[in-house]
Amino acid sequence: MQLQHGVFKLNPILLSLGLMALPGLAQAESVKANETMVVTATQTKHTEFTAPASVSVVTRADIDKMNVNNIGDALKHVPGVNIIATNPTGRNEIKIRGMGGDYTLLLINGKRVNARETLGSAYGNDFDLSSIPMAAIERIEVIRGPVSSLYGADALGGVVNVILRQATEKTEAAVGYTHSMPTKGDGGDANQGSAYVSGALIDNKLLGNIVVEGYQRDRWKSDQSNNPDADALEKREVVNVLTGLKWLVADNQDIEFDLGYNQNDMDSYFNNVPRAPTAPATPHNIQNLDRLSLGVSHNGRWEHFDSRVRYYFEQIDLMDDSQLNGGAADITQTNNTVDGQVSGYLGEHLLTSGAELRKTELEHSRNIANGSVDASQSALYLQDEFSFGDLALTLSGRLDHHETYGNEFSPRAYALYTLTDEWVIKGGAGKAFKAPTLAQSSEGFSTTACRGACQVIGNPDLKPETAVSYELGTAYESDRFGAGVTGFHNDIEDLIQSDQWGPGYRPTVMTYLNVKKARIKGLELTGWVDVLDNVQLTGNWTLLDSEDKSTGEDLAKTPDHTGNLGLDWQATDVVSANLAWQYVGSQIIKVPARNAQAFKSEHYQTLDVNTNWKVTPALDFKLGITNLTNTQRDQVATDADFILEGRTVYAGVDYKM
């Protein structure tokens, strides 16, 4: 993907996020025409090149040239990121630098998105990844490494901030449709359609936009499966609606209202071997989720500082009906968040300070002994950005208070030294934490596991997970060539994991445990070069070494190598093409069909071909093939029911008005 290039119009996005559109520090004041601006690393503006963090950006152009159905698809070629299967029926999670999906904080315009409490992670909870309409996205910023000093819990692995298209004065509209069809197996056809409109409801006073998107995929069965009646990919129907209003109160103030609705219906037949004696070999699983979200924020740009105050709300209703659970359950998760932030200069120091109050409530008709549990957290944070000549420093810290686990302080220090306009050295250290989820910590919470043969109950004696992370790297970027290398080391203490079956160990009731210590270290290599004026080659390679220090074993589903190569060719003013190659290295997988033992699954590689025809300035056609070589994973992965989607052809059309 062409991550280094592209122009980002900063102010409208910053104002929509309530982030601070203040003058940058010395290292960020001079912005080249082709440089990308980011805001997630510090909640102030920086170029991607000089941001005090390891940052990657996926632009709207990157999304348009791929076959993308959700956020995971959009990030699969980002360095340090693995999109891994957590459920045999095709549910995925975002894993950053070897840390699981529960340690990746997902934001929309800087606001948390969280439906994780509705299901245990063992069931593949990708509800959040499917809740964001792809047609609404302007760009995605990915921070690799912990940033709990700004964002608090859940950011041990990193942050994915999805920045949405903003309402405009000029009327804009677009419609799109894509159809995809696997060439192997039975079923799996998918349809995705979207419509978008934006404009002024009252000139220079009230702006609005709305996007509606629908996605439907048939169940896909593969002859690779050990159970011919089981689905390799579940049937899924998704509807997303997002709408926003911006009231321009004055030249220096605006108030934003946003409303979202997400419907996500899933239907699958699951392979249950080995199984409980009374459970069916192919249990039927149905889940219907409805999510309502709303928010209101006030953004102010005053003489000496900028401010933001906002409230946002999510309610997720899930009907979970599985033959493994023995009956339907009704689950409701409610998230309420209030936060505020100010940012301004004090002398040569750019200070950013804020506070947050968050409450999560969970009701469950089957798994919670008294019907409901809740948890509240509050936080204060402060960040200071300053420089000594060519050396820029960022110091930040956040104090979180959890009503059950007390106080956690998360500091972070980062330095960036500018050798030349094209060459920088940067690195830093930080501490992050993650409090146990309600399911993990509530003794009265029981989750069905072991494919229906056991229960996992909450453990009130769990400790919060903490991580200390270090990274050091260098990057060079010229007009036609760029490269970077970053080494990182994460020490994780009290890592929370569910007890699992193993050889000779099959209890019917288990719980969650703190692993004494885990370590993940690695190296990220990135580069790009303009081979010709109309041809660009990009690539990245990530090496990971992970270890559970209590057992000496590798962490499960953590590939030791991941590599990506992309070739972009602008053949003519009308036709462009892209080749995307990915290599996923060997990894450890526990195989239920082999007595729940852990085995090494060998590496595999895929190749995607994407083409685009710009027939007119308003009309685009796209055509491509994913997994062109019809790569299949090895027998270990197949026995664990992780089956790679076969060769798939897709075609789409987009019309902009």
Side-chain angles (χ1 to χ4, degrees), residues 137-186:
I137 297 174
E138 174 68 27
R139 59 198 273 107
I140 306 171
E141 296 181 5
V142 180
I143 308 299
R144 304 188 298 280
V147 280
S148 286
S149 60
L150 278 180
Y151 297 104
D154 306 329
L156 272 74
V159 174
V160 174
N161 189 12
V162 180
I163 298 174
L164 304 180
R165 293 176 172 179
Q166 299 305 304
T168 56
E169 286 278 359
K170 181 182 177 181
T171 300
E172 298 178 354
V175 293
Y177 171 75
T178 301
H179 177 78
S180 61
M181 178 180 63
T183 62
K184 301 292 183 179
D186 182 24

Side-chain angles (χ1 to χ4, degrees), residues 282-538:
T282 314
H284 190 196
N285 302 275
I286 299 174
Q287 292 172 336
N288 298 327
L289 179 140
D290 291 280
R291 181 198 312 248
L292 177 68
S293 61
L294 59 89
V296 59
S297 62
H298 177 275
N299 305 306
R301 298 163 293 282
W302 316 102
E303 183 176 356
H304 299 294
F305 66 94
D306 286 1
S307 66
R308 179 199 70 212
V309 179
R310 65 187 178 190
Y311 164 76
Y312 48 103
F313 164 88
E314 277 186 304
Q315 180 171 300
I316 302 100
D317 294 306
L318 174 66
M319 191 284 293
D320 183 17
D321 186 6
S322 170
Q323 288 180 289
L324 291 176
N325 296 338
D330 293 316
I331 309 163
T332 298
Q333 178 182 336
T334 305
N335 305 315
N336 287 275
T337 304
V338 179
D339 68 23
Q341 180 178 288
V342 295
S343 184
Y345 275 98
L346 182 62
E348 296 299 317
H349 294 254
L350 176 55
L351 300 178
T352 302
S353 180
E356 180 185 72
L357 176 63
R358 186 168 75 251
K359 183 174 183 178
T360 298
E361 300 176 84
L362 185 65
E363 299 177 10
H364 201 299
S365 64
R366 292 181 60 89
N367 287 7
I368 302 177
N370 61 359
S372 67
V373 292
D374 61 71
S376 297
Q377 298 183 59
S378 57
L380 295 171
Y381 60 88
L382 176 65
Q383 175 182 268
D384 184 9
E385 300 176 75
F386 57 99
S387 60
F388 298 103
D390 292 327
L391 177 65
L393 298 175
T394 301
L395 305 177
S396 56
R398 174 170 168 137
L399 179 64
D400 281 85
H401 175 77
H402 191 285
E403 65 175 352
T404 303
Y405 300 101
N407 298 326
E408 286 285 344
F409 180 64
S410 304
R412 183 174 184 262
Y414 210 93
L416 183 142
Y417 186 74
T418 303
L419 295 170
T420 70
D421 290 342
E422 299 175 331
W423 188 11
V424 298
I425 298 174
K426 57 183 181 178
K431 180 185 176 185
F433 86 102
K434 181 180 183 298
T437 66
L438 291 173
Q440 292 169 341
S441 62
S442 302
E443 191 171 13
F445 199 112
S446 173
T447 302
T448 302
C450 311
R451 301 192 172 189
C454 75
Q455 297 287 317
V456 180
I457 62 173
N459 180 1
D461 297 325
L462 288 175
K463 301 176 183 178
E465 301 167 274
T466 59
V468 177
S469 175
Y470 311 89
E471 70 172 54
L472 179 64
T474 184
Y476 177 85
E477 186 168 308
S478 64
D479 289 338
R480 299 185 64 91
F481 167 80
V485 56
T486 301
F488 59 89
H489 185 109
N490 296 333
D491 286 317
I492 307 108
E493 294 189 0
D494 297 319
L495 188 70
I496 297 173
Q497 292 184 350
S498 170
D499 194 11
Q500 296 185 13
W501 280 4
Y505 179 71
R506 294 193 172 216
T508 57
V509 178
M510 297 187 292
T511 188
Y512 299 92
L513 305 170
N514 287 108
V515 176
K516 186 175 181 181
K517 185 176 289 187
R519 186 263 301 143
I520 302 174
K521 60 182 179 180
L523 193 68
E524 294 170 350
L525 307 171
T526 62
W528 64 273
V529 59
D530 288 337
V531 181
L532 300 170
D533 289 341
N534 63 340
V535 178
Q536 185 182 71
L537 178 67
T538 63

Side-chain angles (χ1 to χ4, degrees), residues 36-83:
T36 303
M37 301 300 296
V38 297
V39 294
T40 309
T42 59
Q43 300 203 37
T44 57
K45 67 175 183 178
H46 290 273
T47 68
E48 182 183 351
F49 183 59
T50 60
S54 295
V55 186
S56 294
V57 180
V58 178
T59 66
R60 180 74 241 172
D62 294 324
I63 294 172
D64 286 341
K65 71 185 179 186
M66 297 186 291
N67 183 31
V68 173
N69 297 316
N70 56 48
I71 298 298
D73 292 340
L75 300 182
K76 65 182 182 180
H77 297 299
V78 172
V81 173
N82 296 118
I83 308 302

Side-chain angles (χ1 to χ4, degrees), residues 591-647:
V591 185
R594 299 189 189 180
N595 202 28
Q597 295 186 63
F599 295 89
K600 177 182 283 189
S601 178
E602 296 300 328
H603 66 84
Y604 64 93
Q605 50 193 318
T606 61
L607 179 65
D608 299 342
V609 180
N610 310 284
T611 62
N612 184 276
W613 284 270
K614 185 171 286 295
V615 180
T616 71
L619 182 63
D620 288 355
F621 286 101
K622 61 181 179 180
L623 179 67
I625 303 174
T626 59
N627 194 6
L628 176 66
T629 57
N630 196 41
T631 296
Q632 298 181 4
R633 297 188 66 174
D634 66 1
Q635 194 62 46
V636 170
T638 301
D639 284 348
D641 298 313
F642 294 120
I643 298 173
L644 193 64
E645 187 173 6
R647 183 188 300 114

